[in-house]
């Protein structure tokens, strides 16, 4: 597998990632009765709420300390105190996460210190206030996510009696994915604490009466008891050590850590299911075996189409790893593997997975879509897999996009996309195959033209996409032939 | 249900005492018996209140600058702010030259920790060079996000140097998010910048046609301005530039030649309207192209301003033709909508604009408000001399313009201006409150908690707002209509837009979905009769029936 890595420009043109506090909000939405505040000026929190709401189609309440010019000079602790008071009064949360924005960090706010002072002044010794320093310029939303999970564990975990439950720590997956992971755990009769659990909170059924904080999420009590667990399974093989919650539980409390890839694809799901069987000393239930069989049936049916795919996979490192691996299992190899994150481990982790890849694979870290687009062109990519911002590749290059991950803001149902476990993988692969098939049918005529009519004098006409007009792209280079029938 | 002071007290009682006192001043029950009903607005947001307001950067880059299509808008700062303001407003644009439309691009310096420590000016300067080379735009703007001002990057100096180097209109906007109290501060900063650096840069001295106008405060969401322009063109107007939906540097630089400026969104653009009047002698007319009646009134007022018989006649002809087209289409929707009630809480002007259209459909607005408006948007411009400026508003200095010696022309004689002002909103805006029904509620900077409480009390049939708040009512079983980006629909402006709006709103009421929310077993017993009474086969039949 020949590889190649990034080049560098000053311009970030059409980013492939968001900022750190954005990622930090999500885990707090998966803790029962929790609220979260961003310490900084209010624009950041409004923007982030807007984007999260658009992906999940849910109300996303996030407080802000609404710092203004005065706060930038004298410090913002008074504003943060007020924000905490108001949030407590109106929402009655049982845990509050505090994240920082660029503003708070640039003026040097010690948010952990302010949080301690607050608790002392208000006489709230036991109230869980989890302060996380997340400067927007300090990392992407992926890092923000993991740091917030880790800080939550650090803040709550206390030495506890040993128990036979296991900890399951998940990356930013869809609520449907989390529900599937829970279903597998329950099928295997495992007692578990899953953190963070957005399965109900960010995909909330219509139900009356409406409550300000959606029901569901990991219980604070359960998080406190994580150090007593028999083991931790963390779906985070790309997670760097310093932000790894599982590693923290291992080093501080001796909880054995199984750091696995997201259970997507045959092997990774086998690993998860096999580990659970081992931990519980039980066997794998028939249901799961049937599901595994169906997945393989799907893969046998689809491999002939999927093998024609040349993929560009982009997004959060953890998901990128899982998608590349899953696709490779079915013979769909990537040409471009990209993440906006500075996480550099991906390339080495994927080396064994891509050992048999026949073509060249290009890796981009800290990248933007301008770069991804160029590489897609150079390598002949014909399917993009990742979040909505990849639509740019469709608009400019005609490459179809199979949407996956976060954020999905131009389609509905991002919260319901199921991609993990045997069943989820089956659904994921079907989406990929169908995207390829649709593309193939759409371009059938173009391909036929090239094969039979080139140099015959029958003209092939460029197709001007409507998108191209509305957004002023250069002409879409994907050509659709018009057989004019007028032979010259 | 009618609301009274006591109910509002009850809602506010949930707040700490200080917050309660503050919020109380932002809520008014309309009472036309009282001459001037005052409301507090444009004051600091209460921390932790879960406001819907954004920041100055959002108002500057996101709202006013962003839609200008032939310019590249660079965001100087860490990546988040740029990402979040990327194509999120559905301001549409078309260009003749497809290479001169940059709206699909999000361009940022993506500041890293080292830039925060050592400063980002050099990176910004290098980036401008790259942008000029890659995109070849007609002009460039640079918008600052929070950290920029704090670390002392002098973006104005960088812009100036780049302007000299590239011979291109490159301007900087110090719209750091912490300035002011909401996006409103950013509108002001953008208005000042555009007026200072772009409007009037062009070399036209005379208007290109007899009735040349600019449309201000129209952002072409969902194609609104295209629908308005269609009608205006038909009447015989020439639109020089729209500020800023589908607008361009090329057109904006000659905006000074217009004989009249129309103001749709007063909040975001009134500064430019005012400055154009002072500098070039061009009055502005408050228009509203949302709603059929409001559109007709606006068109008639325009014709009256020009005072030309042929134009007045042509205006009536076009109105008649348009009405003939849409009125039959509207009827079925009216039947569905009639008798319903609505909440209308939007940015800084739509909270007012949409009430008329709702009314035409038979829907009564029972609560309305703005996210970031000022008192004049509620109470009318007469209140302007009475608004105390505070530390936050002083942050954004007014740009003082003086009459342009060469180009200032009184467009109409002073006496006629005075006479017209008695009849039409010429260089004036009367605000939202006066148009509201007695007993309805006006709320400034409505938040999630209050939204929920007001819904419980007033049980509106439809809730119109933005994307962040629309999911609360929906979860409560109430239809919503997103009025920031129209839920990917539109246009809603003008005559044909009204039909789109009526269709979308009626669809919200008429969808059978709402009927299924309560499961049948919670509502009534699934099967009538009891098990003992039926034999095996009748039971089967009943289940199947
Ligand atoms: S408040 Fe500041 S940091 Fe936040 S989005 Fe606005 S400009 Fe960016
Ligand atoms: S990059 Fe920084 S300033 Fe911008 S939205 Fe993110 S936290 Fe806020």
């Amino acid at each position: 597998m020949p590889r190649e890595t990034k080049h560098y420009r000053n311009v970030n043109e059409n980013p492939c990632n968001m900022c750190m506090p954005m990622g930090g909000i999500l885990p707090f939405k998966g803790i029962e009765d929790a609220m979260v505040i961003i310490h900084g000026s209010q624009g950041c929190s409004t923007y982030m709420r807007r984007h999260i709401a658009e992906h999940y189609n849910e109300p996303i309440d996030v407080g802000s300390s609404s710092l203004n010019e005065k706060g930038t000079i004298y410090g913002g602790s008074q504003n943060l105190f007020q924000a905490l008071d108001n949030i407590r009064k109106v929402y009655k949360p049982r845990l509050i996460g505090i994240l920082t924005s660029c503003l708070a960090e640039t003026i040097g706010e010690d948010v952990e210190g302010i949080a301690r002072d607050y608790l002392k002044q208000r006489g709230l010794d036991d109230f869980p206030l989890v302060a996380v320093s997340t400067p927007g310029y300090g990392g992407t939303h992926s890092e923000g996510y993991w740091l917030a999970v880790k800080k939550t564990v650090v803040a709550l975990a206390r030495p506890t009696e040993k128990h036979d439950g296991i900890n399951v720590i998940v990356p930013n997956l869809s609520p449907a994915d989390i529900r599937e992971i829970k279903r597998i755990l329950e099928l295997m009769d495992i007692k578990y604490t899953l953190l963070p659990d957005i399965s109900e909170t960010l995909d909330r059924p219509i139900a009356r009466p409406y409550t300000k904080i959606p029901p569901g999420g990991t219980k604070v009590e359960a998080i406190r008891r994580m150090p007593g667990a028999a083991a931790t399974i963390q779906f985070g093989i790309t997670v760097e050590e310093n932000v790894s919650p599982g590693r923290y539980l291992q080093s501080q409390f001796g909880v054995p850590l199984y750091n696995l890839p997201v259970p997507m694809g045959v092997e990774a799901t086998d690993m998860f299911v096999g580990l659970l069987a081992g931990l519980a000393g039980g066997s794998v239930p028939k249901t799961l075996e049937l599901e595994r069989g169906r997945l393989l049936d799907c893969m046998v049916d689809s491999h002939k189409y999927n093998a024609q795919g040349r993929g560009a996979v982009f997004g959060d490192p953890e998901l990128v790893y899982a998608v590349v691996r899953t696709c490779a299992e079915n013979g769909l190899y990537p040409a471009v593997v990209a993440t906006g994150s500075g996480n550099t481990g991906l390339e080495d982790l994927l080396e064994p997975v891509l050992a048999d890849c026949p073509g060249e694979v290009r890796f981009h870290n800290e990248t933007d879509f301008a770069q991804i687009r160029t590489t897609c062109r150079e390598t002949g990519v014909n399917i993009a897999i990742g979040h909505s911002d990849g639509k740019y590749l469709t608009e400019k290059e005609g490459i179809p996009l199979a949407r996956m991950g976060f954020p999905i803001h131009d389609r509905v149902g991002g919260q319901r996309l199921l991609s993990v476990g045997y069943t989820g993988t089956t659904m994921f692969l079907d989406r990929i195959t169908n995207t390829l098939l649709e593309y193939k049918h759409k371009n059938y005529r173009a391909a036929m033209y090239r094969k039979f009519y080139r140099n015959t004098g029958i003209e092939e006409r460029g197709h001007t996409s409507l998108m191209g007009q509305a957004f002023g792209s250069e002409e879409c280079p994907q050509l659709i032939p018009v057989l004019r029938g007028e032979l010259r | 249900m009618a609301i009274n002071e006591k109910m509002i007290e009850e809602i506010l009682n949930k707040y700490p005492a200080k917050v309660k006192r503050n919020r109380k001043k932002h809520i008014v029950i309309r009472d036309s018996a009282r001459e001037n009903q005052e409301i507090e607005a444009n004051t600091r947001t209460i921390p932790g209140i879960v406001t819907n307001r954004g920041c100055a950067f959002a108002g500057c880059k996101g709202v006013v600058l962003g839609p200008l299509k032939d310019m590249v808008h660079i965001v100087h700062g860490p990546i988040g702010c740029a990402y979040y303001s990327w194509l999120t407003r559905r301001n549409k644009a078309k260009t003749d030259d497809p290479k001169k439309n940059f709206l699909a691009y999000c361009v940022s310096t993506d500041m890293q920790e080292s830039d925060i420590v050592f400063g980002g000016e050099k990176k910004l300067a290098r980036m401008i060079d790259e942008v000029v080379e890659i995109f070849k735009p007609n002009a460039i703007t640079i918008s600052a996000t929070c950290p920029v001002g704090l670390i002392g990057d002098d973006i104005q100096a960088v812009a100036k140097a780049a302007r000299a180097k590239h011979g291109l209109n490159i301007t900087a906007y110090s719209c750091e998010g912490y300035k002011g109290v909401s996006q409103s501060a950013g509108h002001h900063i953008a208005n000042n910048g555009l007026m200072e650096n772009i409007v009037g840069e062009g070399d036209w001295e005379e208007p290109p046609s007899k009735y040349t106008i600019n449309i201000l405060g129209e952002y072409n969401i969902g194609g609104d301005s295209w629908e308005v322009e269609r009608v205006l063109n038909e009447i015989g107007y020439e639109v020089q530039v729209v500020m800023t939906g589908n607008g361009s540097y090329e057109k904006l630089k000659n905006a000074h030649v217009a004989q009249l400026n129309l103001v749709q969104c007063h909040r975001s653009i009134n500064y430019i309207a005012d400055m154009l009047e002072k500098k070039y002698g061009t009055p502005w007319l408050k228009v509203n192209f949302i709603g059929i009646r409001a559109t007709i009134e606006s068109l008639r007022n325009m014709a009256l301003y020009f005072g030309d018989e042929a134009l007045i006649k042509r205006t009536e002809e076009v109105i008649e033709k348009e009405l003939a087209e849409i009125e039959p289409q509207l009827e079925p929707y009216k039947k569905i909508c009639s008798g319903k009630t609505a909440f209308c809480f939007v940015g800084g002007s739509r909270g007012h604009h949409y009430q008329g259209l709702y009314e035409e459909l038979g829907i009564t607005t029972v609560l309305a408000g703005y996210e970031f408006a000022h008192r004049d948007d509620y109470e009318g411009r007469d209140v302007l001399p009475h608004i105390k400026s505070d530390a936050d508003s002083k942050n954004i200095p007014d740009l003082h313009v003086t009459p342009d010696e060469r180009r200032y022309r009184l467009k109409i004689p002073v006496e006629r201006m005075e006479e017209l002002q008695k009849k039409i909103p010429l260089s004036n805006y009367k605000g939202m409150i006066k148009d509201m029904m007695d007993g309805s509620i006006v709320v400034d900077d409505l938040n999630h908690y209050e939204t929920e409480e007001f819904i419980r009390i007033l049980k509106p049939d439809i809730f119109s707002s933005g994307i962040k708040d629309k999911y609360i009512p929906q979860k409560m079983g109430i239809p919503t209509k997103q009025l920031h980006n129209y839920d990917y629909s539109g246009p809603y402006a003008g005559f044909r837009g009204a039909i789109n709006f009526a269709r979308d709103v009626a669809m919200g009421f008429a969808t059978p979905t709402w009927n299924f929310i309560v499961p049948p077993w919670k509502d009534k017993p699934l099967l009538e009769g009891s098990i003992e009474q039926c034999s095996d086969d009748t039971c089967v039949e009943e289940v199947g029936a």
Side-chain angles (χ1 to χ4, degrees), chain A residues 19 21 44 48 101-102 136, chain B residues 78-81 84:
Chain A
C19 62
C44 315
M48 291 172 207
S101 73
C102 293
Chain B
I79 199 69
C81 327
Y84 305 130

Side-chain angles (χ1 to χ4, degrees), chain A residues 138 146 152 171 330:
Chain A
W146 284 107
T152 305
N330 204 211

